[in-house]
Each structure stands twice: as C-alpha cells, then as structure tokens.
C-alpha cells in the first residue's frame, strides 16, 4: 500500500480549500490502495473540517496560538525586527517539525497542495528528500508561475526538488511548461487534472434554505460569490451594476464573501452611488448554493483566477455565467464561450451590454442554461476520480 502525504497551509474558507476537501473525499475512497495523511501547517479556522473522510489522518504542525501569532507577525513585518524575528522563528519551527514527522513515516508520495505565508517551499529550500519519494507541486494559480520567473535562482533551486507538477487548466499547463523551460527544468512531467466538482452535494445543498435568507431569495437578483479581495475587482462590478440600473434593470445585486477592510470600502462606494437598497453585501455564507440556484445570472469581474471554482459551482446550480476572460480558469470552464459569456478582460462597456442582454433576453439566457448539464461533466467526481487514480498508479 502506497503512503501519501498531503501538505496544505490551513483550512480557511477559500476555493483551494474546497477543492482540497473534494480531493480528500476521492482519496478516502482509495483506502484499499493508498494510505493518505494530511498535514495542515497552521491550526486556524478549520472550515468544513468535518467533511474530511475519517480514514484520513489529520495533523497540525502549529498550535492554534502559534498559528494566530504567526499570521499576526506576517501582517506586521514592516513594523520592525521584533515581528520579523518571530515570523522567521516560527517558519524554522514549522520546518523542524515537518522534518521530524516526515522522517518518522515512510511516505512514497508527498503532495504540496497549496502555499501561502506558510508553505512546503520553505521546507524544501533547506531539506532534501529521499530520491525514491515522488514530490508533487500542485499549481493553483498563475501568480505562482510569475513569482518563479521574478526570482529565477531561488525557484530553480526550489523547483528542481519537485519530481512532478499538476496544473488545473489548459492555460496554466502551458504557462507552467514555458516557465519550467526557461528555468532549465523542462524535463519535469506536468499533468493536467481539472478540479473536481461534487455535483450531488452542491445540488443537495442548493435546496437547504436558511430561514433568514428566504426573503432575500424571493427577490429577483444577480449574484457574485468570492472573497472580498482587490483582485476580484468588486469595485468595477459595482460600477457596472450602477450603469445597468440606469439602463432600467430591476434585479438586485447580491455579493457573498468575507473581508472586513474591503467590505467597508465597497459599502462606502455603494452608499456614494445610492445603491443601498439594491446592492447588498451579504458577508460569508457557509452554504451559498441556494443563492446560486435562484440567481438570474452569475457575474464575475475578477482580474485573475486559478481555476474559478465559483463559476463551475454556479453552472452546477443551473445559473448561467458572464465573466471577464482573465487568466487562467474562465476560458477552460466556459470552453471559450460555449457554456457562458466571456468578455475581454477590462472591457467594461462590453460587460455591461452583454449582461443587459442576458438579463433582458430570456431566450438567450435559456440557451446557455440548456447547455449547463453537458458543461459540468468534465469536472464530475467520477471523471476526476478515474484520472487521479490512473495518475497515482503510475508514480
């Protein structure tokens, strides 16, 4: 039986974390062939941890207190030596504990699933693993490829220690190959595996309506779901919505997602535009799927994505998507515009016009809705489970 170790920073509320849980469900079904252990470098939030299969052993490198101070230190690095010394000290503590844990087990495969302020990169910079261990870099965003090329000596050293790479969409696979070639690492195998979508679970959750949301769901609305981050471009989305209101649409805009600093700035913009009654910041929702199912349209103005999981989730719920053609996921999910509307990145006027057409033209919107069941087959559990199993069997 092969032993697999998956390493991830922390189980926060994000797209990569939802994908991780779905992959853990798949790996849990392989328990006759693989033993899977999971390490979180930090112990904080732990959103949806109860969904992880019981046959996967979970370990935390840092305690909850260490984790919170580590993040606090990382946010205050500009404030002097005190915080940087603690930050670097805790990074060394992570590496030492990882070293002890890996040495105590006989792993065949180590998967570096994602990276943040804490990451396996920090460990592998200082330690060499046994040559027999297959070490996989799972690439979730083009940002990381750009960082490789911005510091070539460092990442040539780091990435040379990985034996395999997994990418999650076609554009990312190509950019990964180009970057590794530029770093003289073109011999590294790259595998493309789309993120899995738990279609049955999403559709079931879409029917589980919180009583507090019934009034909101009885309105006509368009929807956006993502963390409130500058790269998601919510400010321009609100500008677009303001112009759509001037053109006569009556649907509200619901924005689901957390981020206190950005949320305050967005609310100020909404107030300034006089949209308080129509553009609503709903905060985080553990279950956003009832909103996805009942929205007339899902809109996405992000300037960059890894995969764009919320687009696929909306499609699972039967709601068509319009989004900017940002790097790197939307083009794959919408199949170059076959399954939804792709707008050239930054073309605000076209986004407004296309959104207006989809809202007002029921026949056009229905033509996309009819294609959605076909569109999500590429990402269903059955398809991805077989691909992952075949891949692991070759390692």
């Amino acid at each position: 039986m092969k032993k697999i170790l998956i390493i991830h920073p922390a189980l926060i509320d994000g797209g990569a974390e939802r994908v991780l849980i779905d992959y853990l469900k798949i790996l849990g079904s392989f328990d006759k062939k693989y033993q899977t252990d999971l390490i979180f470098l930090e112990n904080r939030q732990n959103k949806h941890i109860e969904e992880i299969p019981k046959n996967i052993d979970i370990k935390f490198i840092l305690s909850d207190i260490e984790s919170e101070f580590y993040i606090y230190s990382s946010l205050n690095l500009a404030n002097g030596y005190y915080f940087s010394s603690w930050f670097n000290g805790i990074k060394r503590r992570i590496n030492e504990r990882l070293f002890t844990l890996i040495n105590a087990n006989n792993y065949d495969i180590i998967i570096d699933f994602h990276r943040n302020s804490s990451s396996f990169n920090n460990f592998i910079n200082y330690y060499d693993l046994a040559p027999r261990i297959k070490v996989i870099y799972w690439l979730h965003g083009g940002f990381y490829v750009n960082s490789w090329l911005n510091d070539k000596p460092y990442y040539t050293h780091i990435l040379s220690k990985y034996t395999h790479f997994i990418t999650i969409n076609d554009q990312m696979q190509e950019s990964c190959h180009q970057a590794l070639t530029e770093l003289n690492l073109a011999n590294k195998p790259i595998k493309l595996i789309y993120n899995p979508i738990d279609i049955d679970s999403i559709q079931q959750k879409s029917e589980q309506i919180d009583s507090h949301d019934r009034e909101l769901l009885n309105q006509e609305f368009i929807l956006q779901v993502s963390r409130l981050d500058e790269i998601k471009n919510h400010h321009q989305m609100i500008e677009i919505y303001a112009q759509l209101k001037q053109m006569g649409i009556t649907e509200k805009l619901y924005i689901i997602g957390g981020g206190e600093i950005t949320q305050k700035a967005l609310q100020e913009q909404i107030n300034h535009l006089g949209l308080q009654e129509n553009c609503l910041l709903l905060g985080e929702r553990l279950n956003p799927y009832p909103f996805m199912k009942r929205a007339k349209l899902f809109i996405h103005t992000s300037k960059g994505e890894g995969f764009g999981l919320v687009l696929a989730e909306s499609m699972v719920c039967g709601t068509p998507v319009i989004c900017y053609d940002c790097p790197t996921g939307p083009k794959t999910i919408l199949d170059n515009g076959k399954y939804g509307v792709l707008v050239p990145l930054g073309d605000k006027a076209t986004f407004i016009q296309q959104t207006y057409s989809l809202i007002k033209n029921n026949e056009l919107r229905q033509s996309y809705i009819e294609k959605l069941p076909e569109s999500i087959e590429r990402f269903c559990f059955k398809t991805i489970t077989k691909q992952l199993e075949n891949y692991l069997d070759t390692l």
Side-chain angles (χ1 to χ4, degrees):
M1 178 181 286
K2 286 183 179 177
K3 293 187 68 176
I4 299 174
L5 174 64
I6 298 179
I7 300 173
H8 189 78
L11 197 57
I12 59 176
D13 194 12
E17 287 68 34
R18 296 202 301 279
V19 172
L20 172 63
I21 289 176
D22 284 339
Y23 269 116
L24 292 171
K25 292 176 182 177
I26 291 173
L27 288 167
S29 70
F30 297 161
D31 58 350
K32 298 294 189 295
K33 298 175 67 173
Y34 303 107
Q35 175 188 326
T36 303
D37 292 348
L38 172 65
I39 288 179
F40 291 118
L41 301 178
E42 305 162 30
N43 186 355
R44 59 189 181 96
Q45 295 193 31
N46 295 324
K47 298 290 184 70
H48 306 290
I49 195 169
E50 71 283 353
E51 296 184 28
I52 297 175
K54 302 302 182 186
N55 58 356
I56 291 178
D57 186 41
I58 304 174
K59 296 180 175 64
F60 296 93
I61 294 297
L62 297 179
S63 69
D64 53 351
I65 295 174
E66 289 172 324
S67 301
E68 292 303 323
F69 191 67
Y70 179 66
I71 297 303
Y72 182 75
S73 298
S74 72
L75 296 174
N76 286 277
L77 288 176
N79 294 333
Y81 175 76
Y82 176 82
F83 290 106
S84 63
S85 64
W86 272 107
F87 179 74
N88 292 324
I90 297 177
K91 281 170 63 173
R92 288 193 296 271
R93 187 174 298 181
I94 292 172
N95 290 344
E96 290 164 0
R97 292 175 183 175
L98 264 179
F99 179 79
T100 300
L101 190 148
I102 291 173
N103 269 352
N105 294 273
N106 192 30
Y107 293 112
D108 301 290
I109 300 169
I110 295 178
I111 298 175
D112 177 9
F113 194 76
H114 201 36
R115 49 218 55 84
N116 208 319
S117 55
S118 61
S119 76
F120 191 60
N121 281 4
N122 298 326
F123 174 86
I124 211 167
N125 184 35
Y126 296 103
Y127 295 91
D128 293 322
L129 296 169
R132 65 169 186 80
I133 301 175
K134 303 298 188 294
V135 188
I136 299 173
Y137 189 115
W138 210 304
L139 182 60
H140 289 278
F143 163 82
Y144 301 100
V145 177
N146 294 335
S147 68
W148 300 350
L149 299 178
N150 289 333
D151 193 351
K152 291 181 181 179
Y154 175 75
Y155 280 103
T156 298
H157 169 68
I158 293 289
L159 299 178
S160 68
K161 298 189 177 187
Y162 291 88
T163 59
H164 296 75
F165 290 76
I166 292 178
T167 59
I168 60 176
N169 61 59
D170 308 81
Q171 289 175 286
M172 198 177 296
Q173 183 181 38
E174 179 60 27
S175 63
C176 179
H177 173 71
Q178 291 176 355
L180 291 177
T181 299
E182 195 167 333
L183 298 175
N184 296 315
L185 298 171
N187 61 321
K188 300 289 184 180
I190 304 171
K191 177 69 174 177
L192 170 61
I193 305 179
Y194 294 144
N195 287 344
I197 306 293
D198 192 342
I199 294 172
D200 290 341
S201 175
I202 290 173
Q203 291 178 341
Q204 289 172 12
K205 290 178 179 178
S206 73
E207 299 293 346
Q208 298 169 6
I209 299 175
D210 190 305
S211 60
H212 298 292
D213 290 332
R214 289 191 184 278
E215 185 175 348
L216 290 170
L217 292 168
N218 285 333
Q219 309 289 318
E220 286 200 331
F221 62 93
I222 58 179
L223 180 68
Q224 154 63 199
V225 180
S226 71
R227 70 183 184 276
L228 302 184
D229 191 303
E230 288 298 327
I231 197 170
K232 300 301 182 179
N233 204 17
H234 289 93
H235 285 290
Q236 187 172 100
M237 177 182 295
I238 293 170
E239 292 172 1
I240 288 170
Y241 178 68
Q243 294 194 41
L244 288 168
K245 287 292 293 180
Q246 291 177 6
M247 294 169 69
I249 73 161
T250 57
E251 289 78 8
K252 296 181 184 294
L253 171 61
Y254 295 164
I255 299 175
I256 293 177
E260 291 183 7
I261 297 175
T262 307
Q263 183 166 342
K264 181 179 179 181
L266 292 175
Q267 189 61 59
E268 289 175 355
Q269 181 185 13
I270 290 168
N271 296 344
H272 176 72
L273 293 170
L275 297 173
Q276 300 94 318
E277 300 299 319
N278 297 286
C279 182
L280 306 181
L281 302 177
L282 302 184
E284 293 185 9
R285 287 290 196 281
L286 288 177
N287 179 16
Y289 303 121
F291 288 90
M292 288 184 176
K293 180 172 182 177
R294 289 155 184 82
K296 182 172 283 189
L297 190 64
F298 189 94
I299 66 174
H300 201 61
T301 53
S302 179
K303 294 181 283 189
E305 288 291 338
F307 182 70
L309 182 65
V310 291
L311 306 180
E313 290 175 332
S314 177
M315 293 158 70
V316 168
C317 292
T319 298
V321 169
I322 178 170
C323 66
Y324 276 142
D325 185 13
C326 66
T328 55
K331 189 184 293 289
T332 293
I333 292 175
L334 300 185
D335 195 9
N336 294 298
K338 178 180 179 181
Y339 298 124
V341 178
L342 278 175
V343 177
L345 182 59
D347 189 344
K348 182 178 171 182
T350 299
F351 200 104
I352 292 168
Q353 188 56 53
Q354 293 280 14
T355 303
Y356 183 82
S357 295
L358 280 169
I359 291 174
K360 292 297 185 180
N361 189 332
N362 289 329
E363 185 177 341
L364 176 63
R365 190 170 66 257
Q366 190 61 36
S367 70
Y368 283 109
I369 292 173
E370 290 171 357
K371 298 174 186 175
L372 296 182
E374 168 193 311
S375 73
I376 60 178
E377 284 300 313
R378 299 163 293 162
F379 314 120
C380 73
F381 258 40
K382 183 179 179 180
T383 300
I384 303 304
T385 295
K386 191 61 179 175
Q387 290 179 5
L388 181 64
E389 184 176 17
N390 290 341
Y391 177 67
L392 293 175
D393 285 347
T394 66
L395 298 180

